[in-house]
């Protein structure tokens, strides 16, 4: 995938023209926000700007970047925690963890290709967007592993929440509130993550299934087995992965080598009725799940919009059928069918069909990537009920009274 | 001693009228006003503190909860939400001018969906009740606080409860999909649903662990998981606390995440053994209980690896369970730890601080020194994988001086936890117990931010007033 045409120009032109500030310390970042607050000047908050086309374009003349707040500040492998400044590139953190055979549990996707970025995203960006990959189905989302944060409010005040220990219920959990808030409630300057050991081995069953319903049924059976499936995705026809043809359900096991062998064998027997299975070894598994993580099998072209829909897995085949009828949707399923990746024309009609299909299935949607020509005019997230929207306004006012941080990013 | 805010005289004066109003809002049997019948609600698991409430209501539906909250909001009446009353931090301690809203009659399981692996239950369903409803099909609800037989899921959400198995499976927050949430204004809001990731702000995460400060939860959608093929425990004993700590590090460093990893010190081992006769090693200074999951062959493989790791640290003894019964015996002592300490001391305070595991030897040494200084015994049991300490401070409640010292000792332990990079509470919550210590962990400005978020939900501070946030300098409560 390459950079979506038109998107960069449309979404970024005004920002880049007006310049960008990238302080090297938390203190100077806080001072910049204090200054912006005094001048009532909105700010576009970003790390390396790799996800500018996510959600809605920000209504701000100036950009405040955390890209110069870098470096791992504390790493205690035996305490299963790592702490780094928000602008630290994710690959740098992943490399440090790999040296100790550990990993970021939520397996955040690398969206460099999807967003046409020239460099990898940052820790702060992945947390701000609550980006979780395939392992979310077993081990939880990014937000489940944020142990602590340091952040700056819209008035330029530094605050902490959480800490570095795995269990902490002291006070209100602002870590969760800021995770997934896309920089609209505060600017993350440092994040402490829980980490886990990397499995000794990985193996995957690739099962050829007749259709989406059959695929989701196979994945539900896999996830309802006692073998600890840590990835459950469904590739729709034409994905071209590893020379596998047709509709393919993927079920992953990660564990000690003996366990992986044993569990895949048992799983294969239990799922035999769902379709013919191929076994992928560790190397092939890594390749296939990296591809699923980054939504490559979706095959989105640069000009297409990309949506994510979250539903109960059994509702997924209905969504797939509805979107197939509405427009020539490209689709890919993860999380046992509970996460539906959709690519299609960046037009309001397609967006309306996505919103409708998600609502009909009782689920949630996100316009994950789209040109400003679409995203500036449609709700990119489901509307909140009126009482909750009122609470949201008051919460935002508590952290960013003038609404200067990433205005417009999530909702208009 | 912990102080409570002065009751609002006008509310106390209108008590009869308020009871009559509540009686019109709810069925007659759902409103309790007689002192004798309110007695069970005057305290919770922090039994050293008691306070008779203004009234108790026991609604049966979300709409009834909403009506009561709407009424209380309109009339400026404080509200104390209550599940089973197992809170160990006084989270459900009533106030004299507050209506206690008890959830125990909301105990229906509304939906179980094994295919999509979730269950929708009312807030008054017990934690174990969820697992009981699905275990016949091999599923379970993962968070397992020690009080799981009695505690209710609504309370678990409010306290973000965990348990011995959360090293692998996470705490309540990690196992929720959705909530029905009622604001103090009586608005019913659906948060999340039966799917994994709701887009937008993470209200689910903010509400979980909020200790009744933001609203009341009436329905909960939880993830249910398929259980493993089996599980088995072992114990390993060492002649020094530091050595046991090093063994824990080595196990985790080897890439094994046991499903549970519990640590007991010598006084705790002795108390538990006297109670459970589990065959615990009385000569050891520290003991680990380690549980692994999988097929029998996998259990053998993992326990074998762990045994080899422990062997490098010259254990004074090791015992691998050879059957489910032997595993249960190993767990029996641990699960009965609090009761066991209750047998050797007239009373005890159960503390709940969390520390970075690397600080364990230092912290246990300091706790030992403080025990001598205060002249009070202490037994330590905790979740070693996650550093959540539970020092049990032994005292005599009939002796006010002994109680005062125990509280001071407990406060010193919690301050020590914060000092070494940990926190005031890992799972019991702040409640009233640790409320005034919040300033040791947070700056005033950080507390102000949290208070502002509380105010965004509950402008008049009627919800569980006087819990979590210090009373000092709080204009919302001073009145």
């Amino acid at each position: 995938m390459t950079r979506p045409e038109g998107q960069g120009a449309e979404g970024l032109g005004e920002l880049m023209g007006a310049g960008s500030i990238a302080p090297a310390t938390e203190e100077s970042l806080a001072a910049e926000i204090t200054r912006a607050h005094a001048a009532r000047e909105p700010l576009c908050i970003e790390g390396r700007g790799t996800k500018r086309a996510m959600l809605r374009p920000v209504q701000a003349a100036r950009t405040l970047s955390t890209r110069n707040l870098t470096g791992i500040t504390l790493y205690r492998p035996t305490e299963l925690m790592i702490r780094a400044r928000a602008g630290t590139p994710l690959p740098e953190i992943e490399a440090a963890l790999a040296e100790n055979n550990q990993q970021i549990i939520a397996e955040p996707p690398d969206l460099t290709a999807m967003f046409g970025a020239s460099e990898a995203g940052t820790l702060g960006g992945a947390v701000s967007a609550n980006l979780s990959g395939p392992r979310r189905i077993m081990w939880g989302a990014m937000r489940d592993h944020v142990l602590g944060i340091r952040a700056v409010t819209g008035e330029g005040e530094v605050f902490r929440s959480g800490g570095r220990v795995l269990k902490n219920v002291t006070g209100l959990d602002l870590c969760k509130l800021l995770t997934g808030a896309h920089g609209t409630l505060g600017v993350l300057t440092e994040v402490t993550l829980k980490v886990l050991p990397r499995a000794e081995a990985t193996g995957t069953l690739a099962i050829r299934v007749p259709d989406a319903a059959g695929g989701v049924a196979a994945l539900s059976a896999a996830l309802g087995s006692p073998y600890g499936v840590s990835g459950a995705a469904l590739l729709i026809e034409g994905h071209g992965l590893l020379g596998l043809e047709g509709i393919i359900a993927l079920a992953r096991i990660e564990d000690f080598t003996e366990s992986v062998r044993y569990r895949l064998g048992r799983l294969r027997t239990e799922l035999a009725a769902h379709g013919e299975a191929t076994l992928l070894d560790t190397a092939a598994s890594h390749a296939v799940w990296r591809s699923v993580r980054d939504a490559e099998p979706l095959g989105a072209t640069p000009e297409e919009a990309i949506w994510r829909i979250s539903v109960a897995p059994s509702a997924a085949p209905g969504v797939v059928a509805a979107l197939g009828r509405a427009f020539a949707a490209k689709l890919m399923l993860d999380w046992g069918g509970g996460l539906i990746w959709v690519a299609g024309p960046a037009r309001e009609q397609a967006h309306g069909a996505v919103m409708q299909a998600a609502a009909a299935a009782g689920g949630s949607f996100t316009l994950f990537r789209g040109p400003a020509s679409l995203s500036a005019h449609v709700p990119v997230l489901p509307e909140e009920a009126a009482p909750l929207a009122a609470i949201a306004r008051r919460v935002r006012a508590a952290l960013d009274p003038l609404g200067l941080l990433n205005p417009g990013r999530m909702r208009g | 001693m912990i102080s409570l805010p002065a009751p609002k005289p006008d509310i106390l004066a209108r008590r009869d009228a308020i009871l009559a109003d509540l009686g019109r809002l709810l069925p007659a049997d759902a409103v309790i006003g007689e002192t004798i019948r309110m007695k069970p609600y005057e305290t919770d698991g922090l039994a050293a503190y008691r306070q008779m409430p203004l009234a108790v209501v026991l609604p049966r539906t979300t709409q009834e909860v909403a009506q009561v909250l709407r009424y209380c909001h309109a009339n400026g009446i404080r509200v104390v939400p209550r599940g089973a009353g197992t809170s160990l931090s006084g989270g459900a301690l009533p106030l004299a001018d507050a209506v206690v809203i008890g959830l125990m009659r909301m105990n229906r399981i509304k939906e179980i969906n094994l295919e999509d692996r979730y269950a929708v239950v009312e807030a008054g369903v017990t934690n174990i009740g969820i697992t009981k409803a699905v275990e016949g099909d091999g599923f379970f609800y993962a968070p397992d606080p020690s009080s799981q037989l009695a505690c209710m899921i609504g309370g678990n959400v409010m306290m973000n409860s965990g348990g011995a198995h959360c090293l692998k499976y996470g705490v309540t927050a990690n196992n929720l999909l959705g909530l029905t949430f009622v604001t103090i204004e009586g608005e019913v809001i659906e948060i999340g649903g039966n799917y994994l990731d709701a887009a937008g702000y993470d209200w689910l995460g903010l509400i979980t662990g909020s200790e009744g400060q933001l609203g009341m939860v009436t329905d909960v959608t939880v993830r249910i998981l398929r259980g493993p093929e089996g599980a088995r425990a072992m114990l390993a004993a060492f002649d020094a606390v530091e050595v046991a700590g090093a063994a824990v590090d080595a196990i985790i460093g080897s890439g094994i995440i046991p499903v549970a990893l519990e640590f007991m010190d010598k006084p705790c081992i002795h108390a538990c053994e006297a109670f459970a006769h589990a065959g615990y090693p009385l000569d050891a200074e520290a003991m680990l209980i380690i549980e692994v999951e999988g097929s029998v062959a996998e259990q053998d493989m993992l326990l074998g690896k762990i045994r080899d790791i422990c062997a490098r640290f010259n254990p004074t003894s090791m015992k691998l369970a050879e059957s489910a019964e032997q595993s249960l015996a190993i767990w029996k002592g641990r699960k009965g730890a609090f009761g066991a300490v209750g047998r050797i001391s007239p009373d005890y305070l159960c503390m709940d601080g969390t520390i970075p595991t690397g600080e364990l030897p230092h912290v246990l040494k300091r706790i030992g020194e403080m025990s001598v200084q205060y002249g009070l015994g202490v037994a330590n049991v905790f979740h070693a994988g996650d550093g959540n300490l539970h020092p049990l401070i032994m005292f005599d409640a009939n002796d006010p001086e002994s109680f005062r010292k125990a509280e001071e000792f407990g406060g010193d332990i919690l301050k020590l936890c914060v000092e070494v990079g940990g926190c005031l509470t890992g799972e019991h919550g702040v409640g009233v117990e640790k409320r005034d210590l919040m300033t040791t962990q947070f700056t005033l400005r950080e507390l102000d931010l949290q208070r502002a978020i509380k105010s965004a939900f509950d402008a008049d501070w009627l919800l569980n007033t006087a819990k979590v946030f210090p009373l000092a300098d709080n204009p919302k409560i001073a009145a």
Side-chain angles (χ1 to χ4, degrees):
Chain A
M1 269 182 274
T2 55
R3 186 187 199 94
E5 274 170 32
Q7 214 161 272
E10 241 178 327
L12 311 179
E14 62 213 44
L15 305 176
M16 302 310 275
S20 161
I21 356 161
T25 65
E26 180 186 73
E27 200 182 4
S28 53
L29 183 137
E32 289 293 349
I33 296 180
T34 305
R35 200 162 18 244
H37 182 258
R40 308 179 79 86
E41 176 189 65
L43 292 171
C44 172
I45 308 300
E46 60 181 35
R48 294 168 131 199
T50 58
K51 294 181 276 285
R52 276 178 204 143
M54 191 178 282
L55 304 183
R56 306 178 74 239
V58 169
Q59 308 297 318
R62 290 225 302 164
T63 295
L64 177 62
S65 165
T66 58
R67 65 160 59 236
N68 288 328
L69 292 182
T70 58
I72 293 164
T73 45
L74 185 68
Y75 177 27
R76 293 281 165 81
T78 58
E79 290 176 9
L80 303 174
M81 62 75 68
I82 192 165
R83 171 178 288 167
R85 295 196 182 94
T88 312
L90 271 187
E92 193 178 318
I93 293 169
E94 280 161 350
L97 292 172
E99 273 180 33
N100 287 278
N101 257 322
Q102 294 189 327
Q103 62 188 357
I104 297 177
I105 309 166
E107 208 176 2
D110 175 357
L111 301 174
T112 316
M114 184 187 286
F115 283 89
S118 56
E119 51 187 359
T122 63
L123 172 64
V127 170
S128 291
N130 187 25
L131 285 178
S132 317
R135 211 177 282 120
R136 196 267 176 264
I137 194 77
M138 180 178 181
W139 290 101
M142 197 67 174
R143 65 120 182 175
D144 291 310
H145 307 116
V146 175
L147 301 179
I149 55 165
R150 289 180 69 89
V152 183
T153 68
E155 294 179 273
E157 284 189 284
V158 176
F159 69 97
R160 307 158 302 156
S161 182
R164 62 183 262 209
V165 290
L166 304 192
K167 278 172 80 185
N168 182 351
V169 294
T170 322
L172 296 178
D173 189 350
L174 306 192
C175 298
K176 295 232 167 50
L177 190 59
L178 264 72
T179 303
H182 295 272
T184 61
L185 295 177
V187 181
L188 294 175
T189 55
E190 189 175 67
V191 176
T192 308
L193 284 184
K194 176 183 175 183
V195 297
L196 279 184
R198 280 211 292 201
E200 187 177 84
T202 296
T204 298
L205 274 187
I207 306 161
R208 187 156 179 180
V209 291
D211 51 28
V216 170
L219 297 178
S220 284
L223 290 163
S225 79
Y227 307 118
V229 168
S230 75
L234 185 69
L235 305 176
I236 309 292
E237 210 144 7
H239 51 81
L241 264 192
L242 296 173
L244 298 165
E245 291 302 321
I247 305 178
I248 302 290
L250 297 167
R252 174 176 68 180
I253 306 280
E254 299 174 286
D255 214 311
F256 287 99
T257 308
E258 298 109 293
S259 277
V260 170
R261 196 176 303 126
Y262 163 77
R263 290 176 179 224
L264 283 175
R266 293 298 298 260
L267 200 57
R268 185 176 205 165
T269 310
E270 280 197 20
L271 300 182
H274 291 271
E276 179 199 340
T278 308
L279 270 176
L280 309 181
D281 64 11
T282 292
S285 283
H286 279 312
V288 106
W289 287 102
R290 172 171 285 269
S291 171
V292 167
R293 183 194 74 183
D294 301 343
E296 283 172 6
L298 190 57
T301 60
E303 63 277 5
E304 284 175 320
I306 298 176
W307 295 266
R308 272 162 64 119
I309 299 176
S310 190
V311 290
S314 62
V319 174
V320 167
L323 292 179
R325 284 192 301 270
F327 61 96
K330 295 176 182 171
L331 297 153
M332 184 196 120
L333 276 56
D334 198 355
W335 300 355
L339 172 65
I340 305 168
W341 285 95
V342 186
R347 288 202 292 268
E348 287 196 29
Q349 181 228 1
H351 184 70
V354 167
M355 292 203 305
Q356 199 181 350
S364 181
F365 73 91
T366 308
L367 175 54
F368 199 69
R369 185 196 79 182
S373 57
L374 176 66
S375 60
H377 310 293
V378 297
V380 298
L381 306 166
E383 298 288 352
E384 281 174 331
L388 190 58
I391 290 172
R393 278 193 296 276
R394 295 196 293 266
V395 165
R396 182 141 194 229
L399 287 155
D400 177 19
L402 299 179
L404 302 178
L405 305 178
N406 269 350
R409 171 62 88 194
M410 295 178 79
R411 293 191 166 88
Chain B
M1 288 299 286
I2 293 157
S3 61
L4 294 175
K8 300 178 180 176
D10 59 316
I11 300 293
L12 294 181
R14 281 161 50 210
R15 181 168 184 272
D16 289 347
I18 291 168
L19 275 169
D21 288 344
L22 290 170
R24 278 188 288 276
L25 289 175
L26 300 179
D29 70 336
V31 182
I32 300 172
E34 308 94 308
T35 304
I36 183 83
R37 289 179 63 214
M38 293 201 298
K39 194 81 181 148
Y41 302 94
E42 70 174 349
T43 186
D44 58 14
L46 187 68
Y49 293 93
R50 286 166 197 277
Q51 172 60 58
M52 199 57 79
L54 188 77
V56 176
V57 296
L58 304 175
R60 286 188 175 83
T61 64
T62 298
Q63 277 316 317
E64 288 181 1
V65 172
Q67 277 166 5
V68 174
L69 287 171
R70 201 173 300 135
Y71 170 78
C72 289
H73 178 251
N75 290 279
I77 302 166
R78 289 167 172 158
V79 170
V80 176
R82 183 184 171 101
T86 53
S87 165
L88 292 168
S89 60
L93 178 70
L95 301 171
D97 59 356
V99 174
V100 169
I101 304 183
L103 291 168
M104 60 282 283
R105 285 183 180 165
M106 297 188 65
N107 58 3
R108 288 181 310 146
I109 291 175
K110 298 170 86 169
E111 185 190 355
I112 290 172
N113 186 323
L114 298 180
E115 188 188 359
D116 289 331
R117 300 169 301 283
Y118 70 85
V120 184
V121 303
E122 289 184 334
V125 171
T126 59
N127 174 294
I128 199 80
I130 303 174
T131 290
K132 291 277 179 220
V134 296
E135 68 185 356
D137 292 297
F139 286 79
F140 73 114
Y141 172 63
D144 58 342
S146 297
S147 58
Q148 69 183 140
L149 287 173
C151 65
M152 293 169 182
I153 186 71
N156 286 182
V157 172
M158 283 302 127
M159 290 307 192
N160 196 11
S161 308
H165 290 87
C166 71
L167 177 59
K168 177 167 179 189
Y169 292 112
V171 292
T172 304
N174 314 125
N175 288 278
L176 296 183
L177 296 175
L179 299 173
T180 301
F181 177 75
V182 189
T183 68
I184 185 66
E185 286 151 344
E187 301 278 5
V188 178
I189 302 176
E190 300 295 332
I191 308 271
N194 60 4
Y195 48 89
L196 280 176
D197 274 14
Y201 290 155
D202 184 12
W203 302 117
L204 202 57
L206 179 68
I207 290 166
T208 307
S210 62
E211 304 195 29
Q213 294 296 312
L214 307 181
M216 283 189 72
V217 165
T218 55
D219 283 346
V220 184
T221 305
V222 296
R223 291 187 81 179
I224 50 174
L225 304 174
R226 174 68 190 260
E229 286 186 87
R232 205 145 37 106
M234 65 174 280
L235 62 81
F238 302 90
D239 59 11
V241 164
E242 293 84 345
V243 179
V248 168
D249 282 356
I251 292 166
I252 288 177
S254 77
I256 300 174
I257 297 297
V259 69
L261 185 45
E262 300 286 300
F263 186 118
M264 297 161 96
D265 70 358
K266 188 168 195 169
C268 194
I269 296 168
H270 278 247
C272 292
E273 179 59 16
F275 169 72
H277 310 293
Y280 288 175
L282 296 173
D283 56 338
E285 287 297 322
M287 186 186 97
L288 303 175
I289 297 176
I290 308 151
E291 185 171 89
V292 298
E293 287 182 340
S295 65
V296 172
E298 289 178 299
Q299 294 165 21
D300 286 342
M301 180 262 292
L302 288 170
L303 290 177
K305 283 180 196 278
I306 294 170
R307 183 189 51 214
D308 292 348
I309 293 167
C310 289
R312 303 206 305 260
F313 296 89
N314 301 315
T316 55
S317 64
M318 281 200 282
K319 188 158 131 189
L320 275 62
E322 278 164 18
S323 64
E325 292 71 32
Q326 287 185 11
S327 269
L328 275 178
I330 288 177
W331 274 111
K332 190 181 169 203
R334 165 63 185 91
K335 297 226 164 175
F338 293 1
V341 172
R343 279 163 47 107
I344 59 169
S345 170
D347 301 279
Y348 65 85
L349 275 184
C350 174
M351 306 312 292
D352 167 48
T354 298
I355 57 166
T357 51
E359 299 290 338
L360 187 63
H362 167 67
V363 169
L364 288 187
K365 181 165 164 283
R366 282 289 298 129
I367 291 177
E369 288 163 6
M370 289 183 213
S371 168
V372 173
Q373 177 197 329
Y374 280 102
L376 295 174
V378 60
N380 282 291
V381 53
F382 69 99
H383 313 307
D386 52 34
N388 190 187
L389 296 174
H390 292 307
L392 303 176
I393 300 170
M394 299 173 228
F395 73 102
D396 180 357
N398 290 323
D399 171 6
E401 180 58 11
S402 165
F403 178 50
R404 190 195 62 75
K405 277 194 198 165
E407 282 201 316
E408 207 174 309
F409 184 3
D412 284 352
I413 291 175
L414 295 179
K415 285 178 208 159
L416 175 64
C417 290
V418 174
E419 226 169 81
V420 300
C423 63
L424 292 173
T425 170
E427 58 187 5
H428 295 175
V430 176
V432 284
E433 186 198 23
K434 284 156 266 186
R435 183 189 71 192
D436 297 321
L437 288 170
M438 287 286 274
T439 48
T440 63
Q441 188 172 330
F442 297 104
T443 64
L444 274 180
R445 194 53 203 134
E446 285 164 351
L447 277 177
D448 280 344
L449 264 187
Q450 292 187 35
R451 289 192 272 232
I453 285 163
K454 150 86 171 165
S455 297
F457 283 80
D458 173 22
D460 303 325
W461 280 62
L462 299 173
L463 280 162
N464 222 8
T465 315
K467 317 287 169 64
V468 182
F469 300 106
L471 293 191
D473 304 320
N474 190 341
K476 297 280 192 176
I477 298 181

